[in-house]
Amino acid sequence: MERTIISNARIVTPSDNFIGSCVLENGLICDITNKNYASCHFDLQEGWLLPGCIDIHTDQLELEINPRPGTAFSLASALYSLDTRAICKGVTTLLSCLRFTQDQSKYNWMHDNVVEKSLELERLCMNTQARHYIQARWDTNFINTDSLLNHIKSLTLLKLLVYNENIPGNRQFRNMDTLIKKFALQHDLALEEARKAIEKKIERNRKINNRHEVYNSINGTIVIGSHDDTTPEHIEEAHTYGSTLAEMPTTIEAARAAKEHNMWICMSAAN
């Protein structure tokens, strides 16, 4: 049996912090005590010892791949860079977001051919220091979902699917003038052309809602969440289609509605 003693540490538990020791057997914690051992493997000299942080929604993998326009690193290089950064910051579990959509305007190197990328990510994550999992950022406004849903069910690293509604102006970013200016800049369009393009997208996507297909396919097998809920009606819809997590609700009204439905609530400074 391999036994490791970490002593003279300031240990943080859910209810307290104290100077003591942590004993591991075969890599698993078997004892946490306020006793200090004269003979130990690691003397932390009253340094902090606390559980690793869990990041259930990180877009950092995208930034490691595309740190600036025109630059694209391989998925392997990006993942191992992210892995090192995470461990150095005390993050030991991460859910990296992959977008599942047919909206070409949202594609980048990471999201193009998401099936291939997610399979590659599964292979690469066998050699990381932190635990890496996948969050599916699911576009709720496209048709012909069967192939992607079948693929999702085969991913062993997929732990969370989050509904990401793709109707401009309907959730976090509701200022249409700002959206139009941003769209015009991204696609090198005149403002009026951008306005027409966004209005066409709104009209098209409002007619499509694939949440019921997702619910019927994966409910009970994968945790479902909903992103950027803004109104109680958003929460009601999310809950109807299996969501147990309100991920970053953008208003207090939406957060309260999620609480009333006994949903978990994940907050974010950016939202």
Side-chain angles (χ1 to χ4, degrees), residues 1-210:
M1 178 182 297
E2 182 180 350
R3 185 177 173 88
T4 303
I5 299 175
I6 304 171
S7 196
N8 196 21
R10 180 167 294 279
I11 297 172
V12 177
T13 70
S15 59
D16 198 4
N17 72 84
F18 55 87
I19 301 297
S21 301
C22 179
V23 182
L24 298 87
E25 291 182 354
N26 295 329
L28 300 176
I29 296 173
C30 65
D31 189 27
I32 296 175
T33 175
N34 57 11
K35 172 184 175 182
N36 276 323
Y37 290 83
S39 177
C40 64
H41 298 84
F42 300 98
D43 182 345
L44 293 197
Q45 300 178 6
E46 300 191 6
W48 293 91
L49 181 63
L50 62 160
C53 296
I54 301 173
D55 188 346
I56 71 166
H57 176 127
T58 179
D59 300 320
Q60 190 61 38
L61 186 58
E62 298 175 10
L63 298 177
E64 295 287 351
I65 292 169
N66 302 121
R68 61 178 182 270
T71 302
F73 288 96
S74 70
L75 182 55
S77 175
L79 175 65
Y80 296 140
S81 176
L82 171 61
D83 186 56
T84 300
R85 292 176 188 269
I87 288 295
C88 288
K89 296 175 181 177
V91 180
T92 55
T93 303
L94 304 90
L95 277 70
S96 289
C97 296
L98 298 184
R99 188 186 303 276
F100 289 78
T101 182
Q102 292 176 357
D103 186 346
Q104 296 291 329
S105 70
K106 289 183 176 292
Y107 274 12
N108 61 19
W109 190 96
M110 189 66 203
H111 301 131
D112 189 19
N113 199 354
V114 70
V115 171
E116 177 185 325
K117 297 297 189 295
S118 56
L119 291 174
E120 182 182 0
L121 192 60
E122 290 222 322
R123 292 191 297 270
L124 294 171
C125 285
M126 298 174 66
N127 299 305
T128 55
Q129 301 175 83
R131 297 181 183 90
H132 290 262
Y133 298 107
I134 295 171
Q135 180 196 125
R137 301 185 67 178
W138 184 269
D139 182 343
T140 61
N141 307 102
F142 71 94
I143 59 176
N144 301 324
T145 62
D146 288 350
S147 62
L148 280 182
L149 285 172
N150 288 333
H151 170 66
I152 274 178
K153 289 189 287 187
S154 73
L155 294 174
T156 59
L157 293 184
L158 180 65
K159 300 300 180 184
L160 175 63
L161 180 145
V162 175
Y163 295 133
N164 275 248
E165 192 169 81
N166 189 14
I167 302 176
N170 205 37
R171 298 223 169 200
Q172 180 183 6
F173 303 106
R174 290 180 284 177
N175 187 312
M176 291 303 298
D177 288 338
T178 301
L179 284 173
I180 290 167
K181 290 176 182 177
K182 183 178 179 180
F183 189 87
L185 184 63
Q186 288 176 333
H187 299 276
D188 194 23
L189 297 173
L191 288 178
E192 187 57 29
E193 290 178 301
R195 181 183 300 277
K196 290 179 179 179
I198 287 181
E199 289 175 349
K200 183 178 180 180
K201 182 175 182 177
I202 292 171
E203 181 181 4
R204 179 183 67 247
N205 286 3
R206 275 182 174 163
K207 298 175 182 178
I208 303 169
N209 183 354
N210 60 37

